[in-house]
Amino acid sequence: MTSYISNSDHYKAVLSRVKSVKQILWIGTADIKDLYVEIGKEKKPFLALIAQLIRRGVEVRLIHAKEPGPNFREDFDKYPLLFEHLERVLCPRVHFKMLVFDGKEAYIGSANLTGAGIGMKSDNKRNFEAGILADDPQIVEQAMNQFDEVWMGKHCKSCKRREYCQDPVK
């Protein structure tokens, strides 16, 4: 089933799936900020959820375009497990926003991994976002292939923005 997602539905439809991932979670975003989610009855940094997944043995990969701000880094430091086990690639050309859940579903849309994009902000404060949540194997495979090409550095050698890249793969 493929469904269209708008505005506050991102939090419910997309981030709720993160909690139930069993094996892999791939996240691609241009911008990443201090995003909060509900874990049980508490509001915690998204990074707490990522650390929880990693403790359960989930492979989490994150591609983002720029270094996050100080609030994100402060939260990151609260979860030492992330430093060792969160796989990250920094690519200044990444502008796609996607999450792949266990290789079975993919979110592809406009929402960055920020409170205003996909997080818990109220409807009057969040961005106007749109996206597609799909479990169609062809769509999921194409999203995974695009993610994997960037992850593996397929475009690094010919990239004309290499001077801005802090972490070239090749």
Side-chain angles (χ1 to χ4, degrees), residues 8 16-17 31 37 40 66-67 73 76 80 85 98 107 112 119 124 126 141 143 147 163-164 170:
S8 63
S16 66
R17 281 172 169 71
D31 194 9
V37 295
K66 62 184 179 179
E67 282 297 338
R73 290 193 305 270
F76 190 90
H85 299 285
M98 72 170 74
Y107 162 77
N112 280 305
N124 329 359
R126 73 173 50 256
E141 181 181 7
F147 186 101
E163 66 189 89
Y164 303 104
K170 294 182 183 181

Side-chain angles (χ1 to χ4, degrees), residues 16-35:
S16 66
R17 281 172 169 71
V18 171
K19 297 173 187 176
S20 61
V21 170
K22 303 282 187 255
Q23 297 174 321
I24 68 164
L25 174 64
W26 290 0
I27 304 167
T29 185
D31 194 9
I32 186 166
K33 290 186 179 167
D34 198 31
L35 166 68

Side-chain angles (χ1 to χ4, degrees), residues 2 49 163:
T2 299
L49 177 57
E163 66 189 89

